[in-house]
Amino acid sequence: MTTQAIIEIGPLQLILCLGFVLLAGGASIYHKLGLGRDLLVGTIRTFAQLFLMGYVLKFIFEVNYSWLVLLIFSGMIAAAVHIIKGRVKERRIPFVMPTFIAMLISYSLVSYVVTAVIVGAKPWWTPQYFIPLAGMIVGNSMTAISISLERLFSDLRTRRAEVEMQLALGADYREASQDILRNAVKAGMIPSINSLMAVGLVSLPGMMTGQILSGTDPLIAIRYQIVVMLMIVAATSLGALLVTGLVRKRCFSSGQRLLLR
């Protein structure tokens, strides 16, 4: 296969892309959607955050320190937890620290297996592999965690009478909320399962598209994308189970009383 030269995108092309945002902003103004400020802030943050990350990654790739790679990985998880905190409106139950711990454990495990065992990077924390793959795990699983937590808190409130009746009959908090936990995890898993169903037919995912645009053989790009899709499903299921399991315990007092009202 003949590899073509990569077409670089310069400042002028980036400026031209702002026309897409102006189009969306014009539609918002015309239909009085009130999204102008969010579009402006989101665009500025996109430029600032991605360029900042680009320079950070360039530095990390050059120095190649394991502790720095793991620090960046922990920072990505912390940022994801902060975003989840903003999406999940529950304030009575302290769920931030259990969420961070559960995500750190589950995503570290999946990221290590993918880079060390499946991809075979040596060392396993090689930043060119570990950071992009781990970033996709964190970014794609973040939505699942948000959905699972929101569903957990919502169902515990709406089915409070049922849960308290089971507690009064002698069940512990695990038995009284098992069905609710199961539904919360299933709700968080639906987007990942839908992606598995649609990939290749409805959508061409970002990693695969990026590799093809950079001149990689499409068959190689496809193999990487299959790894990515399956690792996201694994990270989503493991993360949702751990997070909801840890947070569910905090929804009950030591005397087996439901704290949500």
Side-chain angles (χ1 to χ4, degrees):
M1 176 180 177
T2 303
T3 302
Q4 296 182 346
I6 299 174
I7 301 175
E8 294 190 18
I9 296 178
L12 178 61
Q13 286 90 335
L14 291 177
I15 293 173
L16 289 175
C17 279
L18 291 175
F20 296 128
V21 180
L22 293 176
L23 179 64
S28 174
I29 293 172
Y30 181 79
H31 292 285
K32 298 179 181 179
L33 301 179
L35 299 175
R37 183 178 180 278
D38 291 339
L39 285 169
L40 176 62
V41 173
T43 302
I44 294 173
R45 287 187 61 171
T46 295
F47 274 80
Q49 292 169 182
L50 287 178
F51 270 107
L52 176 62
M53 180 56 71
Y55 286 113
V56 170
L57 290 177
K58 186 176 181 180
F59 172 74
I60 293 174
F61 290 173
E62 290 175 353
V63 298
N64 203 24
Y65 291 148
S66 60
W67 65 268
L68 193 54
V69 172
L70 297 179
L71 181 63
I72 292 293
F73 175 59
S74 300
M76 288 191 294
I77 294 178
V81 172
H82 179 72
I83 294 173
I84 291 172
K85 180 183 177 183
R87 292 180 180 177
V88 179
K89 304 306 179 183
E90 177 60 46
R91 294 295 176 262
R92 183 180 178 86
I93 305 300
F95 66 88
V96 173
M97 188 53 65
T99 300
F100 177 79
I101 293 173
M103 291 174 70
L104 184 64
I105 293 173
S106 57
Y107 297 169
S108 296
L109 176 62
V110 176
S111 298
Y112 172 79
V113 171
V114 170
T115 54
V117 180
I118 298 175
V119 176
K122 294 181 180 180
W124 61 267
W125 46 263
T126 301
Q128 288 89 337
Y129 291 95
F130 187 84
I131 292 179
L133 291 172
M136 281 184 280
I137 289 174
V138 177
N140 285 276
S141 301
M142 183 174 60
T143 300
I145 301 298
S146 300
I147 294 173
S148 294
L149 285 174
E150 195 65 51
R151 181 67 176 270
L152 176 70
F153 293 134
S154 174
D155 283 3
L156 283 174
R157 277 198 166 90
T158 57
R159 298 173 61 180
R160 180 168 60 89
E162 175 187 339
V163 172
E164 290 183 334
M165 181 184 69
Q166 293 187 55
L167 292 172
L169 292 174
D172 62 17
Y173 78 91
R174 295 185 184 88
E175 295 169 327
S177 59
Q178 185 59 38
D179 188 49
I180 292 174
L181 178 72
R182 188 182 299 113
N183 290 336
V185 175
K186 285 172 64 177
M189 286 290 298
I190 288 175
S192 297
I193 295 174
N194 287 343
S195 296
L196 284 178
M197 301 294 185
V199 66
L201 293 176
V202 180
S203 65
L204 292 179
M207 180 180 183
M208 174 181 164
T209 304
Q211 286 186 309
I212 292 174
L213 289 175
S214 67
T216 303
D217 186 326
L219 292 178
I220 296 177
I222 286 171
R223 292 169 194 159
Y224 269 93
Q225 190 59 55
I226 291 173
V227 171
V228 168
M229 297 300 297
L230 298 183
M231 78 179 186
I232 288 173
V233 171
T236 298
S237 60
L238 185 58
L241 280 168
L242 285 176
V243 169
T244 52
L246 290 176
V247 174
R248 175 183 62 168
K249 185 176 181 180
R250 295 199 168 198
C251 295
F252 295 85
S253 68
S254 56
Q256 301 289 308
R257 186 173 65 89
L258 182 61
L259 299 176
L260 289 169
R261 291 289 183 270

